[in-house]
Amino acid sequence: MKKIIFLLAIVLGGICSTSCSKQETYDDQLKRERKSINAFIVNHKINVITESQFQEQDSTTDVSKNQYVLFKNSGVYMQIVEKGIGEKLKDGETSTVLCRFEETNVASDSLQLSNMNLRWDGIVDKMMVTRTSGTYSASFDKSSSVMARIYKSASVPKGWLVPLPYIKIGRITSASDKLAHVRLIVPSAQGQVLANKEVYACFYDITFQRGT
């Protein structure tokens, strides 16, 4: 009888151990996210530079070297492909900004959302952006934003606002004009609502254009 009880205890202990191991903590999720970001950086041969080097380069990233600057406070990685035409948003200004984007799940390295495909290419994501004493806030227009429709939220990922101090927001008026264009790796804490909830990072390729 004692032998049976002992064996049963071992089995139950094993079941408990297996069950507990499946209960991932938030710290575990963050470690998994960090591992996926690091793998993405390696797989895409991204050259990470510091904020000080970024500033020394006149707040630019060398695309030929595939440079991305890491902002340590937010954990966002940014590559500026084009600084764009027009002007930076002024302090106290609120402006309509139109975005074309692709969103890739970093962990699977697969495209999961875009307004540049056949299904959504008629919609340019529209957000209202306000600059107040160097701080940017924004919300999506729910009637004209794929991000708002899919994620059921008007909240703009904080990571999308990181480039705004460094780019110009304007409109194309000639063939030589180029819109502001950035690429971002956005950790869950700075991401859209589902990424924040499920704790996964996203890669974004975004253009910014001033609305009317």
Side-chain angles (χ1 to χ4, degrees):
M1 184 67 178
K2 289 183 178 179
K3 185 175 181 181
I4 293 173
I5 293 174
F6 178 70
L7 291 173
L8 183 60
I10 293 175
V11 171
L12 291 175
I15 292 173
C16 180
S17 177
T18 301
S19 175
C20 291
S21 67
K22 291 181 179 179
Q23 295 178 356
E24 195 176 35
T25 67
Y26 182 61
D27 282 343
D28 292 333
Q29 291 175 314
L30 290 176
K31 288 176 183 177
R32 173 170 47 79
E33 179 185 43
R34 168 49 53 191
K35 186 176 180 180
S36 71
I37 291 173
N38 289 340
F40 188 88
I41 288 171
V42 171
N43 292 338
H44 290 267
K45 297 180 173 59
I46 291 171
N47 177 16
V48 179
I49 63 173
T50 63
E51 292 178 68
S52 58
Q53 184 176 346
F54 176 66
Q55 292 168 0
E56 289 169 3
Q57 296 176 179
D58 194 25
S59 299
T60 60
T61 52
D62 190 335
V63 179
S64 69
K65 296 179 180 178
N66 204 23
Q67 287 183 344
Y68 282 65
V69 55
L70 168 61
F71 295 98
K72 286 192 173 182
N73 285 343
S74 63
V76 172
Y77 296 78
M78 177 184 71
Q79 180 182 73
I80 299 178
V81 182
E82 295 288 346
K83 284 208 169 188
I85 56 169
E87 298 179 340
K88 294 180 180 180
L89 294 181
K90 297 180 177 67
D91 191 39
E93 179 183 7
T94 296
S95 179
T96 301
V97 178
L98 309 177
C99 299
R100 287 285 187 185
F101 75 94
E102 290 183 339
E103 178 186 74
T104 296
N105 186 308
V106 166
S108 60
D109 203 355
S110 58
L111 183 69
Q112 64 182 18
L113 189 63
S114 174
N115 64 2
M116 293 191 283
N117 56 26
L118 291 176
R119 181 179 181 184
W120 299 112
D121 66 356
I123 300 176
V124 180
D125 277 42
K126 181 188 294 184
M127 58 185 188
M128 297 300 296
V129 182
T130 299
R131 179 183 174 184
T132 307
S133 299
T135 300
Y136 296 82
S137 59
S139 60
F140 286 119
D141 179 343
K142 289 185 177 181
S143 66
S144 181
S145 297
V146 173
M147 289 284 287
R149 289 191 186 188
I150 296 302
Y151 296 118
K152 311 299 182 186
S153 173
S155 298
V156 174
K158 293 178 183 177
W160 280 37
L161 307 180
V162 169
L164 295 181
Y166 310 103
I167 60 175
K168 298 176 181 179
I169 310 294
R171 297 182 64 84
I172 291 177
T173 58
S174 69
S176 61
D177 289 343
K178 293 182 179 180
L179 295 176
H181 179 191
V182 302
R183 297 181 181 125
L184 305 168
I185 300 173
V186 178
S188 57
Q190 302 291 317
Q192 36 87 348
V193 291
L194 186 59
N196 187 275
K197 179 181 177 181
E198 300 296 332
V199 192
Y200 64 86
C202 289
F203 172 80
Y204 291 98
D205 193 317
I206 313 175
T207 60
F208 297 87
Q209 176 180 323
R210 190 176 292 270
T212 54

